[in-house]
Amino acid sequence: MRVAYNEQMNDLADLLGEMASLAGSAMDKATQSLLQADLVLAEQVISEHDKITELSTVCEEKAFSLLALQAPVATDLRSVVSGIQIVADIDRMGALALHVAKITRRRHPKHALPEEVNGYFAEMGRIAVQLGASAREVLETRDPERAAKLREEDEAMDDLHRHLFTVLMDREWQHGVAAAVDVTLLGRFYERFADHAVEVGRRVIFLVTGELPVELGSTSKIPNA
């Protein structure tokens, strides 16, 4: 029975890693579609989102099956519960990449971004993809020290997000309200993507050590977004 449990947990871990990889790939493509006003690439992100949704459902079913049939306790219970929470975070990462692609599609054939903010979003996209890869890495290695470093990687995203607002609030902004709304929403999507990747790291730390990092324990960091 223990062998079966371990096999099921390994399957769940593999699926979570695959989900994280898909979410990172989706954000990479979504960013390229945004910067290039590439409708084909945006449509690809939108059509491929079903893969993440399907994996999310499979992961949840596996986790709840473990709870119902294996009755895990102590460390095993912590692993299953953390798995359920991680599913939700990665699912949101995929949904945020989807939102980026949908804005590209809505504004096509025009560019959703004014040229002066392209550099911000190119870098935010790079950091988001890096965080997606890091999330997959910590899911595979379960290395709490590596997981803690996701918070440091997220700081660069937070800095860019703050600087973006200085551009929007500048009196020289000449691109109108619609563009300002798009830039605000898009900046938020990237910032939230990074936050959910950090949250995956936090869950892994809890899974391995049984303790939540104090600096990341506030629920105010991750609302339902």
Side-chain angles (χ1 to χ4, degrees), residues 105-121:
R105 182 174 67 177
R106 185 164 66 244
R107 296 305 181 195
H108 189 270
K110 296 180 179 180
H111 285 256
L113 297 175
E115 187 174 350
E116 67 192 79
V117 298
N118 277 349
Y120 286 92
F121 283 94

Side-chain angles (χ1 to χ4, degrees), residues 121-216:
F121 283 94
E123 182 63 8
M124 290 172 83
R126 185 193 67 79
I127 294 169
V129 173
Q130 177 182 315
L131 280 164
S134 297
R136 178 174 186 173
E137 179 186 347
V138 300
L139 285 167
E140 292 175 345
T141 63
R142 296 192 178 187
D143 181 346
E145 292 185 4
R146 179 68 185 90
K149 291 181 180 178
L150 268 70
R151 185 70 184 94
E152 297 174 13
E153 295 174 27
D154 178 51
E155 290 176 0
M157 180 71 83
D158 290 339
D159 286 343
L160 284 166
H161 191 235
R162 284 192 295 269
H163 290 160
L164 192 59
F165 277 102
T166 66
V167 176
L168 291 171
M169 299 301 292
D170 195 309
R171 293 181 179 180
E172 299 299 318
W173 179 264
Q174 299 176 354
H175 305 288
V177 174
V181 170
D182 281 346
V183 170
T184 300
L185 285 173
L186 287 162
R188 177 68 169 170
F189 296 155
Y190 282 92
E191 190 245 352
R192 299 311 300 156
F193 184 98
D195 283 346
H196 283 287
V198 171
E199 186 72 355
V200 170
R202 187 175 80 96
R203 305 293 188 192
V204 169
I205 293 171
F206 174 68
L207 187 158
V208 175
T209 68
E211 298 180 357
L212 290 173
V214 174
E215 68 275 17
L216 298 180

Side-chain angles (χ1 to χ4, degrees), residues 3-50:
V3 172
Y5 170 82
N6 289 334
E7 288 178 351
Q8 288 177 290
M9 282 303 304
N10 288 335
D11 287 344
L12 179 59
D14 289 344
L15 288 171
L16 290 173
E18 185 178 351
M19 277 186 71
S21 179
L22 287 172
S25 177
M27 185 54 93
D28 188 20
K29 293 175 183 176
T31 300
Q32 295 307 312
S33 74
L34 177 67
L35 295 173
Q36 301 165 18
D38 188 330
L39 181 60
V40 173
L41 204 51
E43 292 288 5
Q44 186 178 347
V45 174
I46 293 166
S47 64
E48 290 179 351
H49 181 68
D50 287 345

